[in-house]
């Protein structure tokens, strides 16, 4: 069968690791999942009750507007008032089938095939893979520990010297590193985008999961930005596939047209549950998970340092540890294979996040319960003790 070049999209390695871990579990293995950013807690009770209540009331939960239900859009706008002190017009909120749909809609609404979009390496692999599938060029900016694995205005300047850059995608907190852009850094990137005529897209999916300063939303600094977020991480609703975008007013109708044709709407049951998650009770439950993440972060970071891992990213937020392997370990894919097959801990090789420089790096998620992360650390020690 003939396939398109778009059909040759690179694999999402973390999901391949998850699938292999599932096969081991089907055979009776006890696998510690540190490969994907999936919170162990599940959706807030208020979210599940909201959906159960809609079912009990006989609601059919059919199609909604391609932009989402008015009630959910208003509740998301209210979230920005609570978190950031912003008076956000709910008409600028677009409810999506997870953040993934938000990226597809953003890229299609903003860019034509062949245009160049910049993003930092290491970074979330779906960014560049979606861009490639849509016929866009991902311009990978080689971020380092010295830049906190974040892009800089100088990197964008250098990329623009080789041709127009239509957009810049930033993430704060970032995946896989957990590093954040502070207010000054975001202002610098906004100004750089203006110089080069680049549209800024901000992935804020890990907002709410921070360990020092609160995350700054790009919407606090400019309206000339597309912000993407989701209920997957802070509200632990990964499988519900429900997220949102905030877009400039002029982009609402184009995004709506695309959403209607590509997805019709985000799943209505998930929209009902998301509205419950934004209730006072749902917010309180989600906030309560931060103590576990904080404990996991401290335990895992300390263990990685003790075991000789190098260049450990300073995780300001999210729930990942990203680091270079200890001396003597030179192949992250082989490392992760041994860790899974011999010790039943699933982790993701850095090649998923940086295809050129990730051969000696690994990402470990600490989104599971403290007991499971402690077990994962113990098994990791056993592998390192056995040697390369």
């Amino acid at each position: 069968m003939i396939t398109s070049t778009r059909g040759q999209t690179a694999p999402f390695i973390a999901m391949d690791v998850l699938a292999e871990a599932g096969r081991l579990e089907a055979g009776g293995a006890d696998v510690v999942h540190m490969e994907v950013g999936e919170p162990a807690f599940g959706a807030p009770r208020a979210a599940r009750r909201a959906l159960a209540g809609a079912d009990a009331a006989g609601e059919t939960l059919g199609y909604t507007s391609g932009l989402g239900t008015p009630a959910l859009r208003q509740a998301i706008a209210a979230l920005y008032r609570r978190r950031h002190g912003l008076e956000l017009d709910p008409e600028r909120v677009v409810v999506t089938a997870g953040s993934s749909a938000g990226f597809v809609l953003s890229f299609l609404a903003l860019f034509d095939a062949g245009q160049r979009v910049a993003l930092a390496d290491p970074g979330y692999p779906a960014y560049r893979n979606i861009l490639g599938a849509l016929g866009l060029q991902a311009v990978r900016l080689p971020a380092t520990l010295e830049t906190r694995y974040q892009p800089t205005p100088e990197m964008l300047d250098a990329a623009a010297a080789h041709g127009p850059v239509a957009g810049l995608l930033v993430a704060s907190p970032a995946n896989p590193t957990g590093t954040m852009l502070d207010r000054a850094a975001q202002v610098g990137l906004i100004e750089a985008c203006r110089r080069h005529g680049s549209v800024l897209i901000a992935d804020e999916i890990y907002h709410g999961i921070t360990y020092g300063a609160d995350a700054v939303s790009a919407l606090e600094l400019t309206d000339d930005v597309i912000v993407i977020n989701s209920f997957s991480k802070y509200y632990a609703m990964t499988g519900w596939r429900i997220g949102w975008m905030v877009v400039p007013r002029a982009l609402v109708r184009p995004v709506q047209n695309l959403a209607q044709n590509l997805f019709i709407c985000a799943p209505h049951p998930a929209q009902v549950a998301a509205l419950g998650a934004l209730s006072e009770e749902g917010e309180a439950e989600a906030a309560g998970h931060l103590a576990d993440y904080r404990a996991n972060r401290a335990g895992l970071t300390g263990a990685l340092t003790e075991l000789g891992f190098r260049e450990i990213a300073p995780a300001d937020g999210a729930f990942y540890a990203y680091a270079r392997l200890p001396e003597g370990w030179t192949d992250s894919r082989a490392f992760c294979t041994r860790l899974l097959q011999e010790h039943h801990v699933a982790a993701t090789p850095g090649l998923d996040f940086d295809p050129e420089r990730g051969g000696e790096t690994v990402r470990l998620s600490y989104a599971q319960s403290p007991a499971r992360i402690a077990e994962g650390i113990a098994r990791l020690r056993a592998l390192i003790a056995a040697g390369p």
Side-chain angles (χ1 to χ4, degrees):
M1 178 180 290
I2 298 174
T3 60
S4 72
T5 56
R6 293 184 298 275
Q8 305 305 311
T9 301
F12 193 164
I13 298 174
M15 300 308 293
D16 285 349
V17 175
L18 177 64
E20 179 59 26
R23 284 190 283 272
L24 289 174
E25 288 176 318
D30 172 35
V31 176
V32 178
H33 288 278
M34 302 178 74
E35 78 279 37
V36 291
E38 182 164 44
F41 311 103
R45 289 183 293 274
R48 286 174 274 162
R49 277 204 307 273
L51 182 56
D55 180 61
E59 295 184 30
T60 58
L61 301 181
Y63 293 142
T64 75
S65 162
L67 297 173
T69 64
L72 182 54
R73 296 169 73 197
Q74 290 164 9
I76 291 170
L79 176 65
Y80 283 90
R81 184 182 307 114
R82 294 195 302 273
R83 279 189 183 172
H84 305 287
L86 294 173
E87 292 300 327
L88 178 64
D89 184 352
E91 292 299 312
R92 294 176 56 196
V93 176
V94 180
V95 178
T96 61
S99 64
S100 299
F103 292 117
V104 171
L105 292 169
S106 296
F107 297 161
L108 286 172
L110 293 170
F111 311 123
D112 288 318
Q115 287 190 295
R116 303 167 75 232
V117 180
L119 65 167
D121 265 0
Y124 180 54
Y127 297 151
R128 63 175 187 276
N129 292 341
I130 294 172
L131 287 168
L134 296 178
L136 297 160
Q137 297 183 52
V139 179
R140 306 208 314 264
L141 307 179
T144 64
L145 185 59
E146 287 68 33
T147 69
R148 300 178 63 79
Y149 294 114
Q150 289 284 357
T152 65
E154 292 76 19
M155 291 181 195
L156 185 60
D157 292 342
H162 296 283
V165 178
L168 172 66
L169 175 57
V170 299
S172 177
N175 177 5
T177 62
T179 63
M180 293 199 304
L181 292 160
D182 63 18
R183 188 174 297 270
Q186 290 201 48
V187 168
L189 289 171
I190 290 168
E191 292 175 348
C193 284
R194 287 172 178 159
R195 286 199 306 274
H196 297 293
S198 307
V199 178
L200 180 65
I201 303 172
D203 179 355
E204 299 183 353
I205 191 173
Y206 295 99
H207 275 211
I209 307 174
T210 59
Y211 307 105
D214 291 336
V216 176
S217 174
L219 290 166
E220 298 177 44
L221 308 172
T222 179
D223 283 335
D224 191 20
V225 62
I226 290 82
V227 163
I228 296 175
N229 209 319
S230 173
F231 289 86
S232 291
K233 307 303 182 180
Y234 182 70
Y235 298 99
M237 296 176 67
T238 54
W240 297 76
R241 308 315 304 141
I242 187 74
W244 74 88
M245 309 162 60
V246 179
V247 303
R249 296 179 195 280
L251 206 61
V252 172
R253 185 57 176 170
V255 168
Q256 181 180 21
N257 292 343
L258 285 165
Q260 290 172 157
N261 284 284
L262 291 174
F263 308 110
I264 299 183
C265 63
H268 194 169
Q271 294 191 56
V272 171
L275 187 58
L278 290 173
S279 67
E280 185 175 348
E281 180 189 345
E283 289 280 7
E285 184 175 336
H289 302 323
L290 191 59
D292 281 349
Y293 296 146
R294 189 183 300 277
N296 289 346
R297 172 180 177 261
L300 181 57
T301 302
L304 292 178
T305 301
E306 177 190 339
L307 293 171
F309 284 79
R310 300 163 289 161
E311 299 176 33
I312 301 172
D316 306 311
F319 32 58
Y320 305 112
Y322 186 75
R324 186 169 298 279
L325 297 173
E327 293 285 351
W329 299 83
T330 59
D331 185 337
S332 63
R333 193 183 289 272
F335 175 89
C336 290
T337 297
R338 280 190 60 189
L339 185 60
L340 179 58
Q341 297 297 330
E342 299 175 15
H343 301 275
H344 295 162
V345 176
T348 305
L351 290 168
D352 211 14
F353 313 102
D354 190 336
E356 293 184 7
R357 300 175 300 163
E360 292 187 17
T361 60
V362 64
R363 188 196 72 175
L364 295 159
S365 168
Y366 50 86
Q368 297 294 298
S369 69
R372 293 302 285 169
I373 297 304
E375 176 63 24
I377 291 171
R379 298 181 189 185
L380 179 62
R381 288 184 189 279
L383 175 62
I384 298 300

